[in-house]
Amino acid sequence: MNLGFIGTGEITKAVVLGITKSNVKYEKIYVSKRNNSNSKYLSKINNKVKIFNDNQKIIDKSDWIFLAVTPVVGKKILKNLNFKKTNTIISFISTIKMSELKNLTNRNATIVRAIPLPPISYMKGPIPIYPKNKKIKKFFNSLGDCIEINNEISSLNFWATSSLMAPYYELLFEVSKWLQSKGLKKASAQKYITSLFFALSHQAFLNSNKDLGKLVKNSQTQKGLNEQTLKFLQKQNFYKKLKYSLNEILKRLN
């Protein structure tokens, strides 16, 4: 099986890195030259990765085609490309829905929308897909945790939550800077804060089949430090504003 990527941004880079580390069986991976630094990097780390200037050539030589361009670029270039009905098309494009994808590519082809995130390069993290597809589920389960979604409207909720990635890293960044302002060296501050949140996330993951509210309750004591910070953030409507932001993202996706 040959895999082709239209667009060579950070998500393509992460997915390809994950594939090369996984047990996924493939012959060649074709990437576009759009991001020259990423495409060169990928071709250097694995001799099965080949670069093409011509997106049509990538499509012609590939069985599975991953669309990893921005919505604006996608609407501009996809209509001028010829997709075969035998192609499997996996779209990473956030705001181009299934009906439009069919019109822009080939409505007789197998088309699936997927939401991979950068940790897929380490074969970590969730990959929601819509619609259900056994082969694509098996593929993404080799790269992380594939989650099948029943309908496209529900899938938009997952797209919305993917917008929390940058805010999460900003939280780590700001707390790390705060530690540095108190005299801690940058390397030590960053190691501490990333290790702390990694451990907390791992504990949450291990308890993902339970009520996460219990973690909130069990991590604080009466009049303790965690209770104080939690109450302060609640009083500032921090979590309400977070939900408001997610709803605004959802409106945009709709």
Side-chain angles (χ1 to χ4, degrees), residues 94 115 117 156-169 242-250 252-253:
S94 61
I115 316 170
L117 296 173
L156 301 182
N157 299 322
F158 291 86
W159 283 105
T161 57
S162 72
S163 71
L164 294 174
M165 183 170 58
Y168 172 74
Y169 289 136
L242 182 63
K243 290 178 183 177
Y244 175 82
S245 177
L246 290 172
N247 283 328
E248 290 298 300
I249 293 292
L250 191 59
R252 177 179 171 185
L253 291 167

Side-chain angles (χ1 to χ4, degrees), residues 72-196:
V72 173
V73 172
K75 290 178 181 181
K76 182 179 179 180
I77 70 169
L78 294 179
K79 61 186 177 183
N80 298 316
L81 297 171
N82 296 314
F83 293 84
K84 297 170 289 186
K85 65 180 181 180
T86 54
N87 286 141
T88 294
I89 302 168
I90 300 101
S91 174
F92 300 158
I93 306 173
S94 61
T95 57
I96 300 184
K97 296 180 184 177
M98 186 63 70
S99 58
E100 190 173 4
L101 281 170
K102 289 181 178 180
N103 289 330
L104 289 170
T105 56
N106 187 323
R107 61 176 55 253
N108 293 315
T110 298
I111 304 175
V112 170
R113 298 184 69 193
I115 316 170
L117 296 173
I120 199 172
S121 64
Y122 309 109
M123 294 181 289
K124 298 289 185 181
I127 308 103
I129 65 169
Y130 168 80
K132 293 181 178 180
N133 184 292
K134 289 183 179 179
K135 289 183 179 179
I136 294 175
K137 179 183 179 181
K138 181 180 179 181
F139 171 83
F140 279 123
N141 269 333
S142 297
L143 304 177
D145 300 311
C146 185
I147 300 169
E148 292 184 303
I149 306 170
N150 291 326
N151 62 74
E152 191 167 23
I153 297 299
S154 294
S155 75
L156 301 182
N157 299 322
F158 291 86
W159 283 105
T161 57
S162 72
S163 71
L164 294 174
M165 183 170 58
Y168 172 74
Y169 289 136
E170 178 68 12
L171 175 62
L172 303 188
F173 184 49
E174 289 298 329
V175 178
S176 174
K177 288 194 297 181
W178 182 85
L179 286 173
Q180 292 171 58
S181 74
K182 303 305 177 185
L184 202 63
K185 291 183 179 180
K186 181 178 180 180
S188 297
Q190 293 192 164
K191 183 175 182 179
Y192 171 78
I193 204 63
T194 54
S195 179
L196 171 63

Side-chain angles (χ1 to χ4, degrees), residues 18-26 123 138-139 141-143:
I19 292 169
T20 60
K21 297 172 185 175
S22 74
N23 60 3
V24 171
K25 294 180 180 180
Y26 63 94
M123 294 181 289
K138 181 180 179 181
F139 171 83
N141 269 333
S142 297
L143 304 177

